[in-house]
Amino acid sequence: MGLFWILVLWLLVLGVLSNGLSANGSSRPKVVNVGAIFTLDSTIGRVAKIAIEEAVKDVNSKSSVLKGTKLNVDIRNSNCSGFLGLVEALRYMETDVVAVIGPQSSVVAHTILHVANELKTPFVSFAATDPTLSSLQFPYFIRTTQSDLHQMTAVSEIIDHYGWKEVIMIFLDDDYGRNGLSALDDALAAKRCRVSYKAGIPPGDVSRSDIMDILVKVALMESRVIVLHAYPAVGFTVFSVAHYLGMMDDGYVWIATDWLSSALDSASPFRSDTLTGTMQGVLVLRQHTPDSDRKRAFSDRWNNLTRGSLGLSTYALYAYDTVWLLAHAIDSFINQGGVISFSNDSRLHSVQGSNLNLDAMVIFDGGPLLLNNILQSDFVGLTGPSSLVPTGLSLFPAYEIINIIGTGLHRVGYWSNYSGLSIVAPERLYSRPANRSSTNQQLNSVVWPGESVRTPRGWVFPNNGKLLRIGVPRRVGYREFVSQVPGTNTSKGFCIDVFTAAVNLLPYAVPYQFIPYGNGRENPNYNELVRLITTGFFDGVVGDIAIVTNRTRIVDFTQPYAASGLVVVAPFRKLNTGAWAFLRPFSRQMWGVTAAFFVFIGIVVWTLEHRTNDEFRGPPKQQLITILWFSLSTLFFAHRETTVSTLGRLVLIIWLFVVLIINSSYTASLTSILTVQQLYSPIKGIETLKDGNDPIGYQIGSFAEHYLSEGIGIPKSRLKALGSPEEYATALQLGPKKGGVAAVVDERPYIELFLASQCKFRIIGQEFTKSGWGFAFPRDSPLAIDLSTAILTLSENGDLQRIHDKWLTTSACSSDNTELESDRLHLKSFWGLYLLCGIACFVALMIYFLQIVHRFRQTAPDAYVSERTGGSRSKRLQTLLSLIDEKEDQSRGERKRRKLEKSLTENGREVDLERAAKRKHFQVSSEDSFSMRS
């Protein structure tokens, strides 16, 4: 019985040990199989095969990585064929492969990654750079190299750095090329640049003559900045043909993507020197990998392995690190209890019995866990930190910018998505705050094609014999600005001379022809004229084109060559030529208050002085005259009546101070009115027009109509189109009540020319818009930039002013003459004063003679008696003359004054006698009283 239990216990121990050993064996398999698909005989494939094999050796020789598990990589050739790549991928799915390194080609990747999605096997590529290979569409695809999305961003920033606006892209017309083109197009659009011409090269075998046909078309284009995105075999042929066609000479810019740097880096030194002979001055991008001791040690090891027959490219480094990335991920997978097991796909049961043997393909059960470990792997490899963002892209993409000079590759700078363009390695900038300002974007000097150190302009006029079609408005009015020469297609005027002078300053020839636009009966619509640039009908527009918002949205303008802005012009009248101009210094209220105060002050002073001052006493009539005379005489400080009371003097002093200020203000205002031109118009500016209901004139074709109706809100029913200066003058003279307009709103240059010959009108108020005239060209046209520089040169050297004086300077209504005339005083400004003085003199004389006649009639009886007694009519005349010559103290007024003084004297004597009698009576009374007491 005891023996039985001992046997049972032994069997249980053996079972536990066997289970433990089996479990340990499943968690740490002896071999882990990994596939690899790439083109073995390609530039990248040759270096990648060596790098992968060396990485496998290093991983298996280092026991701390897989801890006894051997990594086996099965390399298969896709021959850069999507079909063969798919076949090899399907063959892997029949085996116990847990991951696949590759594919190398983006075209192959688009084909076989669908297999990865279905069978949950991670594909880790070190060379597929197509930016559309996203983790959203292909979640089991991981990229350990840089995406072309970053490479094309680097290219766009290089183009923007040198100020180029249009580029030509030559690309291989497959998934790799087209998607790279799309990425570049988007990156350039963010910099307000564009791909002006796209030259696709058919995939497959392409002959030299086919490439020559493509480059001949490229040479006829305007842009001289060419981006080449192709495979090495095709790319070298393109450069060879371009060198043959003279497209590697001065003026051209060639930018090659990293295919060229990988080919040159991996080629032998002798072959590299041979290849660079046809690519002098080309800019090349190379994926940047930081320098390190491990990288330098591997480079020395590489040279020993290849004995100099094959160079070390960045793709070899990425292939090497990809193996290590998978090794670390598999190790983490096993440590987490992951089991390498496979299961059949139930969806493939329906194809059983097929000769394709598709039902043999299996799903990797641990695929999701391994994928997660790959994304979370974090180690430092030959290419630097291998940290990946959740999308499977590198965390710090960076490129080196290489210039091919002589037989070598010279680095001119770096690009990274963190700091942009710089001459400092990106890893040194990661510890600093990101600075993408334009001043911080730097590159070293470049030797361009043709051994030129001057940055190419980047464009030329198309070499196809085509002249630029420059639209010119066919104006009816204001022909001084632009007009067509009768019987020809040539034009003349201020705008034409400015354009011609600016073109002559350009360092290159500009073939162009003027195309008149308009029917010749009325000014054309300038908005429609500018819009024709966007349709390609015109290559540019020259004329009096205002730079306004709706036009700048569709075209580019040069620097303004003439200041402009909307102004209001209206009739006016002069205010300083009237006969009653001397009344204008004071308003009616001021005149009324001043006159009232003169009377009031006279009454106040009379009241204060009447009881104590004899000069303010007398009969009522005389006192009234004294009040008026005194108050008015203070205006000239000529009052003769003296004030004796303290209050009267206080009031008079303050009033005289007020009179002094009034006199000074009146004198100053009247001087200004009589010597400075004073103009008056009921319209004060655009606000007056907006609030009123009168019609407003504008020029046909001008943007003023749109501004007045849409910008200010004036109804279109109030706007009246006018076509010429003569119509302006007629409409303004008629006025709104006779079918004309109250004012005209137009641009200042037109109005200044109009007022030069029309002196009856003036600009009212200030400009209410600020703009200018410029020449219009298509968006991002380099000609607009160069002409802007030329216009600034014309302005600085005085040629622009001389052209202005030639066409627009007139002297019909010079403001200088107006100022000289306004300094002179004319009789018409004073005849009102003379009239008042004359009327006063006439009235005074009439009253005086009426008084004489009245007195003469009183003496008429005596004269009649003398005549009857034998006198003559001469006696009557002598009597009249004697009355005129008679002294005034014999007049009735003098006698009345003397009579009044006599009565006052007699009254005074009676008062004195009465007072003396009272005193005598008092004395007699006193004496009697004294006697009685005695």
Side-chain angles (χ1 to χ4, degrees), residues 762-788:
R762 283 291 184 273
I763 294 176
I764 306 299
Q766 302 295 323
E767 288 183 355
F768 51 93
T769 64
K770 294 292 184 181
S771 62
W773 288 354
F775 305 131
F777 293 93
R779 295 296 297 269
D780 303 320
S781 171
L783 187 58
I785 300 174
D786 290 351
L787 279 178
S788 295

Side-chain angles (χ1 to χ4, degrees), residues 252-297:
Y252 280 90
V253 177
W254 286 85
I255 302 176
T257 52
D258 62 351
W259 65 266
L260 179 56
S261 60
S262 64
L264 295 177
D265 289 340
S266 59
S268 63
F270 174 76
R271 177 167 170 77
S272 178
D273 295 345
T274 304
L275 293 175
T276 57
T278 59
M279 296 179 289
Q280 295 299 301
V282 175
L283 288 181
V284 186
L285 271 71
R286 174 198 286 159
Q287 298 185 43
H288 174 66
T289 56
D291 289 332
S292 63
D293 294 337
R294 290 187 59 193
K295 179 180 174 182
R296 285 189 289 270

